[in-house]
Amino acid sequence: MDMKTMFNLTYGLFVLTAAAEGKESGCIINTAGQVTVEPNQISITVNKANFTHDLIRAGGTFNLSILDETASFDTFRHFGFQSGREVDKFAGYESCERSANGLYYVTAGTNGYISASVKQTMDLGTHTLFIASVEDMEVLSQVPSATYAYYQSHIKPKPEKPKTAGKTVWRCVVCGYIYEGEELPADFICPLCKHPASDFEKVIL
Ligand code: FE
């Protein structure tokens, strides 16, 4: 079995936003897709560690802003590399508007948004799968959507040139964070994007 086969799956990238009990937040996901046309339903899968996950569970609605090829790394850093439990991601954030359901959607580097309300959930261990009906949606631009592969090749900053030859480091394949050391602890979590040790690759400089 070649585990790299998983890399050949394609994914879009999205800012998922929700609100509940006076709190609002958003996170980056790559796990959204249409599952039925009639009725029009989408699925999203969200890591339980994300504050936005709890807001969706509590509020029952969400907006999915579709990131396009003009999305900046700052947008990924803003929504993906910090936790809504610690910072209000919408405080002073200007590239957003409210849709008819009252939730924010992101207007910078996005080509559309979908407003949906949750109909079913399934506990998947680390994540919850939400099946939701589409309530509203708008196209914002004709820029092609950003795929995960596009993010890897065009949006994520290129790794810095090594200064010390022969040294072993571990690089997060999601955000590029470098862990310096011969061995990466099995329970290591990327401090930037919170992905686990399995998303790190060994690099010999
Ligand atoms: Fe990372």
Side-chain angles (χ1 to χ4, degrees):
M1 179 163 75
D2 187 347
M3 293 304 289
K4 289 205 175 82
T5 312
M6 298 301 287
F7 297 153
N8 290 353
L9 287 172
T10 55
Y11 299 93
L13 284 163
F14 314 91
V15 183
L16 176 68
T17 47
E21 290 152 13
K23 298 241 166 96
E24 303 194 74
S25 197
C27 66
I28 304 283
I29 64 166
N30 67 341
T31 49
Q34 188 180 31
V35 287
T36 58
V37 175
E38 196 58 54
N40 191 5
Q41 295 185 109
I42 58 173
S43 69
I44 57 167
T45 311
V46 190
N47 193 313
K48 291 177 183 173
N50 286 335
F51 186 50
T52 306
H53 170 275
D54 297 355
L55 297 180
I56 294 172
R57 288 222 75 135
T61 59
F62 61 84
N63 278 350
L64 193 68
S65 302
I66 304 164
L67 289 160
D68 68 34
E69 292 185 354
T70 65
S72 71
F73 187 64
D74 277 347
T75 300
F76 288 89
R77 192 162 32 212
H78 186 79
F79 287 103
F81 300 166
Q82 55 183 351
S83 174
R85 290 181 218 285
E86 284 140 30
V87 292
D88 178 355
K89 297 184 188 179
F90 286 104
Y93 186 78
E94 293 181 352
S95 302
C96 57
E97 287 183 31
R98 289 192 188 279
S99 54
N101 63 1
L103 300 178
Y104 281 124
Y105 62 93
V106 173
T107 56
T110 56
N111 61 15
Y113 74 88
I114 297 171
S115 298
S117 63
V118 175
K119 297 300 173 192
Q120 297 182 55
T121 64
M122 184 183 286
D123 188 335
L124 301 180
T126 56
H127 290 62
T128 298
L129 171 72
F130 297 95
I131 304 291
S133 67
V134 173
E135 308 294 350
D136 196 11
M137 52 187 165
E138 294 297 339
V139 172
L140 300 175
S141 85
Q142 298 301 323
V143 177
S145 299
T147 62
Y148 188 66
Y150 187 88
Y151 167 79
Q152 290 286 347
S153 60
H154 290 84
I155 299 175
K156 186 174 83 173
K158 295 281 178 285
E160 286 178 26
K161 284 272 174 284
K163 297 185 182 81
T164 330
K167 192 173 152 189
T168 301
V169 301
W170 295 79
R171 181 167 60 215
C172 176
V173 299
V174 176
C175 74
Y177 176 82
I178 297 279
Y179 174 89
E180 296 191 14
E182 285 296 316
E183 294 303 326
L184 182 72
D187 60 352
F188 190 76
I189 303 286
C190 178
L192 281 185
C193 72
K194 315 298 181 199
H195 277 242
S198 56
D199 282 323
F200 278 73
E201 61 182 6
K202 189 175 190 174
V203 182
I204 297 168
L205 301 178

